[in-house]
Amino acid sequence: SDLREQEERGELLQPLIFVLLVLCSVLLYFKVSLMDPGFVKPEEEAKAGEAEGQSLVIPRATGDVKLRRCGYCLVKQPMRARHCQLCQHCVRRYDHHCPWIENCVGERNHPLFIAYLSVQLVVLLWGGHIAWSGLYFQQSWEWLQHNIFLLLSFFLIIIFTIVILLLLVSHLYLISCNTTTWEFMSHHRISYLRHSELENPFDQGIILNLWGFFC
């Protein structure tokens, strides 16, 4: 009867939504970590030029930069691809190798990686709110003994929230500029950026950059 009354008052809706968000976060984690991030396969070499020709970024890049063959897996690298020595593959539109998911973040799983960070941030903020609402501060040793685990949980949630928030904001900024973490950090070492007349030959404006990435 108490459960039915809580359901009628809508008190079960929020816990249900929270559990669904946690489940969605876990599913996104496994999806991003287990899927192909955009590995360049040897049979795709013949299609590399055609695929790059269809990309929106090539017209603004310098035309004298030639595709090079990877010295590790010997495939012809499309522009913006990079070899990951941990995955032992070249990855299209390589962003970075994430140790938390044990996988590269590249062309195929980068949008899902952003979705995972967004859902995870909502879960952490919600969990932090729940932990904070359960704290009633008192200056006594007995109170601290009873609430030590709740305090530790709250501080851990705060730390993870800050990390996820900074990571999400930095990725959204780079996406809005149509660049990757690898290109941003290693601009001076990348041939198609070093020889370009433009600071960022792939930038087409924030709206088109976001549209091209998410849509």
Side-chain angles (χ1 to χ4, degrees):
S1 60
D2 292 339
L3 191 62
R4 184 182 298 276
E5 291 178 1
Q6 289 179 344
E7 183 180 1
E8 291 175 353
R9 292 196 300 264
E11 295 178 0
L12 297 180
L13 183 60
Q14 288 189 0
L16 178 61
I17 294 175
F18 182 78
V19 171
L20 289 176
L21 282 173
V22 172
L23 180 61
C24 180
S25 173
V26 173
L27 292 177
L28 281 171
Y29 173 82
F30 283 108
K31 178 66 176 178
V32 172
S33 51
L34 295 176
M35 74 179 295
D36 178 356
F39 295 136
V40 182
K41 300 177 176 60
E43 60 268 19
E44 295 177 355
E45 285 191 31
K47 301 178 182 179
E50 179 184 351
E52 292 295 338
Q54 294 172 352
S55 176
L56 294 173
V57 301
I58 292 303
R60 301 194 62 183
T62 52
D64 57 344
V65 179
K66 297 181 179 179
L67 300 182
R68 69 183 186 91
R69 191 169 292 278
C70 176
Y72 295 96
C73 54
L74 302 180
V75 299
K76 187 174 289 186
Q77 286 184 337
M79 191 173 289
R80 311 191 80 179
R82 183 175 185 265
H83 184 85
C84 176
Q85 297 192 21
L86 295 174
C87 293
Q88 294 297 313
H89 284 286
C90 286
V91 180
R92 292 180 178 273
R93 201 181 182 279
Y94 175 87
D95 188 86
H96 71 287
H97 183 93
C98 181
W100 302 107
I101 64 174
E102 280 298 324
N103 195 9
C104 281
V105 176
E107 184 179 71
R108 294 190 61 193
N109 66 346
H110 201 169
L112 282 177
F113 181 73
I114 298 299
Y116 165 69
L117 291 180
S118 302
V119 174
Q120 190 65 46
L121 181 61
V122 173
V123 170
L124 286 170
L125 289 173
W126 199 336
H129 172 71
I130 294 173
W132 177 261
S133 64
L135 289 172
Y136 299 95
F137 293 98
Q138 296 178 6
Q139 294 182 351
S140 67
W141 177 249
E142 184 180 354
W143 177 89
L144 183 62
Q145 285 182 317
H146 284 87
N147 292 273
I148 184 66
F149 290 110
L150 191 58
L151 279 171
L152 289 176
S153 300
F154 179 72
F155 285 122
L156 281 176
I157 289 173
I158 291 296
I159 293 172
F160 283 120
T161 299
I162 293 173
V163 172
I164 294 295
L165 180 62
L166 292 176
L167 189 59
L168 180 61
V169 170
S170 64
H171 272 275
L172 289 175
Y173 169 74
L174 293 176
I175 291 167
S176 68
C177 299
N178 199 357
T179 189
T180 63
T181 302
W182 173 57
E183 291 171 343
F184 182 78
M185 300 293 293
S186 308
H187 188 280
H188 61 286
R189 295 193 292 117
I190 302 173
S191 59
Y192 59 81
L193 294 179
R194 189 174 66 247
H195 297 145
S196 174
E197 298 176 357
L198 303 173
E199 180 69 21
N200 181 8
F202 308 111
D203 187 9
Q204 295 188 317
I206 294 178
I207 298 203
L208 284 179
N209 292 339
L210 293 174
W211 177 268
F213 181 84
F214 290 106
C215 305

